[in-house]
Amino acid sequence: MAPETTIPGYDYGSEEIARSPVSSDELELLKQTVLFGPEDADALRLAGEVLSDQVEDVLDVWYGFVASHPHLVRYFADAEGQPIDEYLDRVRARFGQWIHDLCGRDWDQAWLDYQEEIALRHTAAKKNSTDSAAGAPAEIPLRYMVAFIYPITATVREFLARRGHSEAEVEAMHQAWFKAVTLSVVLWARPYAEGRW
Amino acid sequence: MAPETTIPGYDYGSEEIARSPVSSDELELLKQTVLFGPEDADALRLAGEVLSDQVEDVLDVWYGFVASHPHLVRYFADAEGQPIDEYLDRVRARFGQWIHDLCGRDWDQAWLDYQEEIALRHTAAKKNSTDSAAGAPAEIPLRYMVAFIYPITATVREFLARRGHSEAEVEAMHQAWFKAVTLSVVLWARPYAEGRW
């Protein structure tokens, strides 16, 4: 899955981004905790293929959800409460690439490092600077990071079912996706808790 | 759902426990974020009825999962790494009651307060003192609190399907359960992040 270098702020594999303090051993224990095994890795790869040409449709659903909830869209709005279109667009492009990366990348050190970078981009450390979004809230509260596990998981199932796979295949892809999203949010929660993570 | 007063350390509704700093307005926004609506409330009540006489079986699955993973059972072990049976038993009884409460209680101030108490009992503030579990690790790391959303959600589906309900009813119960578990973990994450929650 080659990086799409035209995505603003998409720095996967760059020397400029954060290094993850999470070790590969710690990642392995987290995979065990969400019951992520080799069959899930295969199912997630397949999910990535199934979703690859539907990413914009998935993003339409997610952005529609955020846009229709003032308590969510405010994190992408300026000090007057006006959504910042350029900020939303830049984040959207990376959010789409995240789908490709989560399903298609190996979960190696570069992947761990980029999860740390994504984590920091939700916090005061890096949230607005990446997209020059001055005036937007400095941080997305942890509560919404964790709560998003539900909508990001549930909304994807219909897209997984649209390419003619059996019910068992769709279910396997969806469970792998659920595990992978949960694991991602675990990694993105790290800066909020530091030594208590 | 009357409290089972024989459960050690089960202090639901007590004046002795923590007060939640989470407001009912904040809870409402979290419910919106996990898409929890009135139909989910109904489905969750039904799930509580379906699970009510299967709680010990559910706990067998969950405890089997923890017991088979050294990186998890260690939080219930003494300084020598030996699991503390009395501690595990006391937590188990409250874990079972949590299933009843999550499905059967109104999510009012008393419920919110008890979520805060449960949250603190995973942290250094209250983890071992409730059960006199001296020598056990002082805190369960946030990573495993969030990661547990997956196993606690996925393992329940088979139990929801065991009482003759239609596939649509089982699915509705399971989605409501997933939302409710995610929301619970959101509330339990609060002390780890405090002002960043």
Side-chain angles (χ1 to χ4, degrees):
Chain A
M1 190 68 49
E4 298 181 18
T5 52
T6 55
I7 298 173
Y10 179 66
D11 298 327
Y12 196 106
S14 158
E15 289 297 313
E16 305 302 313
I17 65 162
R19 297 279 87 84
S20 176
V22 180
S23 71
S24 56
D25 286 349
E26 290 175 316
L27 176 61
E28 176 55 33
L29 294 179
L30 286 169
K31 287 168 71 174
Q32 290 179 25
T33 310
V34 299
L35 300 164
F36 191 95
E39 327 75 48
D40 293 299
D42 293 342
L44 194 60
R45 287 272 194 262
L46 181 58
E49 293 167 21
V50 168
L51 295 175
S52 64
D53 65 349
Q54 303 186 81
V55 165
E56 288 305 315
D57 298 327
V58 173
L59 290 168
D60 282 347
V61 171
W62 292 349
Y63 265 56
F65 174 65
V66 170
S68 65
H69 288 88
H71 74 284
L72 299 176
V73 78
R74 68 184 289 264
Y75 296 104
F76 301 95
D78 63 23
E80 283 72 46
Q82 284 299 314
I84 305 167
D85 288 339
E86 190 186 352
Y87 182 26
L88 281 160
D89 288 346
R90 289 172 59 103
V91 170
R92 181 181 168 116
R94 295 199 300 275
F95 211 170
Q97 184 59 36
W98 171 74
I99 297 174
H100 293 299
D101 287 345
L102 182 61
C103 297
R105 297 267 196 190
D106 288 333
W107 293 358
D108 55 12
Q109 191 61 46
W111 182 83
L112 265 181
D113 288 346
Y114 204 58
Q115 303 320 301
E116 177 70 8
E117 179 70 14
I118 293 173
L120 293 172
R121 290 180 181 188
H122 289 100
T123 74
K126 293 200 174 184
K127 175 171 175 285
N128 297 335
S129 60
T130 305
D131 299 297
S132 306
E139 187 157 284
I140 296 179
L142 178 63
R143 70 184 85 175
Y144 296 129
M145 301 297 299
V146 178
F148 256 61
I149 290 173
Y150 184 80
I152 296 294
T153 297
T155 53
V156 162
R157 196 178 204 287
E158 66 172 302
F159 296 99
L160 295 173
R162 282 188 186 169
R163 291 296 180 266
H165 293 84
S166 72
E167 175 60 24
E169 287 170 319
V170 171
E171 180 63 16
M173 286 190 279
H174 195 224
Q175 291 301 310
W177 175 259
F178 179 8
K179 296 173 187 186
V181 169
T182 302
L183 182 53
S184 297
V185 172
V186 169
L187 295 171
W188 299 346
R190 199 208 59 76
Y192 294 87
E194 293 288 356
R196 304 175 67 184
W197 179 82
Chain B
M1 190 67 51
E4 297 180 19
T5 51
T6 55
I7 298 173
Y10 179 66
D11 297 328
Y12 197 105
S14 158
E15 288 298 313
E16 305 302 313
I17 65 163
R19 297 280 87 84
S20 176
V22 180
S23 71
S24 56
D25 286 349
E26 290 175 316
L27 176 62
E28 176 56 33
L29 294 178
L30 286 169
K31 287 167 70 174
Q32 290 179 25
T33 311
V34 299
L35 299 164
F36 191 94
E39 327 75 48
D40 293 298
D42 293 342
L44 195 60
R45 288 271 193 264
L46 181 58
E49 293 168 20
V50 168
L51 296 174
S52 63
D53 65 349
Q54 302 186 83
V55 165
E56 289 305 315
D57 298 327
V58 174
L59 290 168
D60 283 346
V61 171
W62 293 349
Y63 265 57
F65 174 66
V66 170
S68 65
H69 288 88
H71 74 284
L72 299 175
V73 77
R74 67 184 290 266
Y75 296 104
F76 301 94
D78 62 23
E80 283 72 47
Q82 283 300 313
I84 305 168
D85 288 338
E86 189 187 352
Y87 181 26
L88 281 159
D89 288 346
R90 290 171 58 102
V91 170
R92 181 181 167 116
R94 295 200 300 274
F95 211 169
Q97 184 60 36
W98 170 74
I99 297 174
H100 293 298
D101 287 346
L102 182 62
C103 297
R105 297 267 196 189
D106 290 333
W107 294 358
D108 55 13
Q109 190 61 46
W111 182 83
L112 265 181
D113 288 346
Y114 204 57
Q115 302 320 302
E116 177 70 9
E117 178 70 15
I118 292 172
L120 293 172
R121 289 180 181 188
H122 290 100
T123 75
K126 292 199 173 185
K127 174 171 176 285
N128 296 336
S129 59
T130 306
D131 299 296
S132 305
E139 188 156 281
I140 296 178
L142 178 63
R143 70 184 85 174
Y144 296 129
M145 300 298 299
V146 178
F148 257 60
I149 290 173
Y150 183 80
I152 296 293
T153 296
T155 53
V156 162
R157 196 178 203 287
E158 65 172 303
F159 296 100
L160 295 173
R162 282 187 186 170
R163 291 296 180 266
H165 294 84
S166 71
E167 175 60 25
E169 287 170 319
V170 171
E171 181 62 17
M173 286 189 280
H174 194 225
Q175 291 301 311
W177 174 259
F178 179 7
K179 296 173 187 185
V181 168
T182 302
L183 182 53
S184 297
V185 172
V186 168
L187 295 172
W188 299 345
R190 198 208 59 76
Y192 294 87
E194 292 288 354
R196 304 175 67 184
W197 179 80

